[in-house]
Amino acid sequence: MENKRASAPKTNRTKRKKDRSKRTIAMIVIVNILVVLLVAVSVYKIYAYFFHIGISTVQNKAAGGVYTEVQVVIPEGSTTTDIAEILAKSGLIENPVAFRVKCKTSGVSGEFYAGTYTLNNQMDFGEIVERLQTIAPTDDDSVIKFLVPEGATVKVIADKLESQDIVTAQDFIDASNKTDFNYDFIAKIPARDYRLEGYLFPDTYFLQKGMTSDEIINKMLSRFQQIYAPYAEAATKRNLSTDEVLTMASIIEGEVRNPDERAVVASVINNRLQDGMKLQMDSTVLYAMGKYKERIYENDTKVESPYNTYYVKGLPKGPIGNPGEACIQAVLHPKDTNYLYYVLQDVEAGTHYFTKDYDDFLKAKAKYTRTLS
């Protein structure tokens, strides 16, 4: 008998061809997806290099690096390329090319002044650019260096401006009650005396002689907006208004000297508010009294003021000063504690003893009081 190899049915051959075709298409799709992913990763790396890593400082705020001031000299006629190289050599930026690209895309190339500037290793791109766009005081004697310390009140700022013969204190105070500054958050600030209290961001400002109070306040509000913008989302998540954040931050600024205790005091504020307790913070008494005292007495706590948290329940009517960024961070990232009370423990170090127990608090308070005798 003749042996013949049986041929596969036509339908099976067609099916195998279709299967091979499907596998081929699938492989092509997978390869295309991988290519797209590789391109996306590459683009992201380039973006991160030029627009994040390249323009960040060597030790940025998030890393908690040691604060270091650096003096840089920008010669007359310097280009953006020259300035980028100077900043990189000074250790203030990581990549001069990235800085130039960012300047170009931000529309600030060629808008810098020559002079000697004091910068620091925790400045971000916006802060460096803003400083270099201000005439350096060493080159122009019409420029006044003006420092607003953390926690300074509107009145303190006003008095300091008058003492440096920039504007009168009363004129500045009057301007601080205006609501026609062009910022969205202004309309949400409740009516009160010193309406902009809390929003005049503490920093070093370079003011031109002859500037008006409105112009000075506008610089401070602009700086506040720049600093606060990254925290707005965190405030919303905690169901806090900007005014509430600044009010709590200003209390922390007035209560705390030791940086490690900011977030702990923030937790005490939260715990007391949640338990329906009065805050009873001494810093609010001093603000209500309008003067500073080394020691608060029981009679002082009875002052009838919407800012005195011994007198009113909940938060005071508004901020009791202008807080710095660290205290804003503490409000939005408080420690997780059950503390309800604290009392000064070490005057020199400015540290406190924290507890959840009232009797324990009274013992610690009595112990501290004895050291004052």
Side-chain angles (χ1 to χ4, degrees):
M1 180 181 287
E2 185 179 358
N3 290 324
K4 293 184 178 179
R5 188 170 61 183
S7 299
K10 186 176 181 181
T11 54
N12 289 341
R13 290 200 302 273
T14 302
K15 183 175 183 299
R16 284 198 296 273
K17 287 181 179 179
K18 287 182 177 179
D19 288 343
R20 284 197 299 272
S21 178
K22 286 180 180 178
R23 286 196 296 272
T24 301
I25 292 172
M27 287 297 295
I28 292 172
V29 170
I30 291 171
V31 169
N32 285 336
I33 290 173
L34 289 174
V35 170
V36 170
L37 286 173
L38 286 171
V39 170
V41 169
S42 298
V43 169
Y44 173 77
K45 285 182 177 180
I46 292 171
Y47 174 85
Y49 182 68
F50 280 106
F51 292 94
H52 177 65
I53 299 171
I55 63 171
S56 66
T57 54
V58 174
Q59 296 182 29
N60 57 41
K61 295 175 183 177
V66 177
Y67 176 92
T68 305
E69 288 193 342
V70 181
Q71 194 171 72
V72 296
V73 178
I74 307 299
E76 195 72 40
S78 296
T79 64
T80 301
T81 299
D82 297 330
I83 293 172
E85 291 294 338
I86 292 169
L87 294 174
K89 288 177 181 177
S90 300
L92 293 167
I93 62 173
E94 294 176 350
N95 181 6
V97 176
F99 184 85
R100 296 203 312 269
V101 172
K102 184 65 174 175
C103 284
K104 187 172 182 179
T105 57
S106 301
V108 297
S109 290
E111 296 184 2
F112 304 116
Y113 291 104
T116 302
Y117 294 85
T118 300
L119 308 177
N120 66 70
N121 66 336
Q122 294 189 6
M123 284 181 161
D124 58 25
F125 172 79
E127 292 169 325
I128 291 173
V129 166
E130 182 182 11
R131 189 61 54 85
L132 296 181
Q133 288 179 325
T134 305
I135 298 174
T138 52
D139 295 327
D140 189 339
D141 60 8
S142 69
V143 177
I144 304 168
K145 184 177 181 179
F146 185 74
L147 173 66
V148 179
E150 284 87 353
T153 64
V154 166
K155 189 176 184 308
V156 167
I157 297 171
D159 289 341
K160 189 173 181 181
L161 284 165
E162 183 168 286
S163 70
Q164 291 187 222
D165 201 26
I166 301 172
V167 294
T168 67
Q170 190 57 53
D171 185 68
F172 185 82
I173 290 172
D174 291 342
S176 75
N177 284 312
K178 292 183 179 179
T179 59
D180 55 355
F181 294 98
N182 191 26
Y183 299 92
D184 292 339
F185 57 81
I186 296 290
K188 299 176 183 178
I189 303 175
R192 59 193 177 217
D193 292 337
Y194 306 120
R195 190 161 187 168
L196 297 181
E197 189 82 272
Y199 295 79
L200 306 181
F201 193 78
D203 202 350
T204 298
Y205 295 93
F206 295 100
L207 309 177
Q208 290 280 352
K209 285 184 179 178
M211 286 184 76
T212 66
S213 293
D214 283 18
E215 289 171 333
I216 295 169
I217 287 175
N218 192 64
K219 283 179 72 73
M220 294 176 178
L221 294 177
S222 175
R223 188 76 176 112
F224 165 74
Q225 180 171 258
Q226 180 188 28
I227 293 296
Y228 188 75
Y231 299 108
E233 185 178 350
T236 300
K237 287 181 179 179
R238 295 191 68 84
N239 199 29
L240 293 171
S241 69
T242 302
D243 209 58
E244 289 170 330
V245 171
L246 294 178
T247 299
M248 286 191 274
S250 69
I251 293 174
I252 295 169
E253 198 75 74
E255 294 283 317
V256 177
R257 280 174 49 204
N258 189 312
D260 295 336
E261 293 186 349
R262 291 180 182 127
V264 184
V265 172
S267 75
V268 174
I269 292 173
N270 288 336
N271 293 339
R272 292 180 76 91
L273 289 174
Q274 289 170 9
D275 285 5
M277 302 172 66
K278 288 183 177 179
L279 292 183
Q280 296 182 321
M281 303 284 179
D282 289 355
S283 57
T284 66
V285 176
L286 294 174
Y287 187 81
M289 295 175 68
K291 62 181 179 180
Y292 177 77
K293 295 178 67 175
E294 287 287 344
R295 184 177 178 185
I296 300 294
Y297 293 92
E298 184 178 354
N299 196 52
D300 297 327
T301 66
K302 297 176 182 178
V303 59
E304 297 182 3
S305 166
Y307 288 94
N308 176 12
T309 55
Y310 281 85
Y311 178 70
V312 297
K313 196 173 182 179
L315 292 174
K317 191 173 183 177
I320 61 169
N322 294 279
E325 186 175 6
C327 288
I328 292 173
Q329 289 176 337
V331 170
L332 299 175
H333 303 285
K335 289 282 188 182
D336 184 13
T337 78
N338 57 6
Y339 297 142
L340 292 171
Y341 310 94
Y342 61 89
V343 63
L344 192 62
Q345 185 177 44
D346 186 326
V347 177
E348 292 298 321
T351 54
H352 293 83
Y353 175 75
F354 294 87
T355 180
K356 66 175 182 178
D357 183 77
Y358 183 64
D359 290 334
D360 191 27
F361 161 72
L362 290 179
K363 291 177 183 177
K365 184 178 179 180
K367 181 179 179 181
Y368 169 70
T369 302
R370 285 195 295 273
T371 66
L372 300 177
S373 304

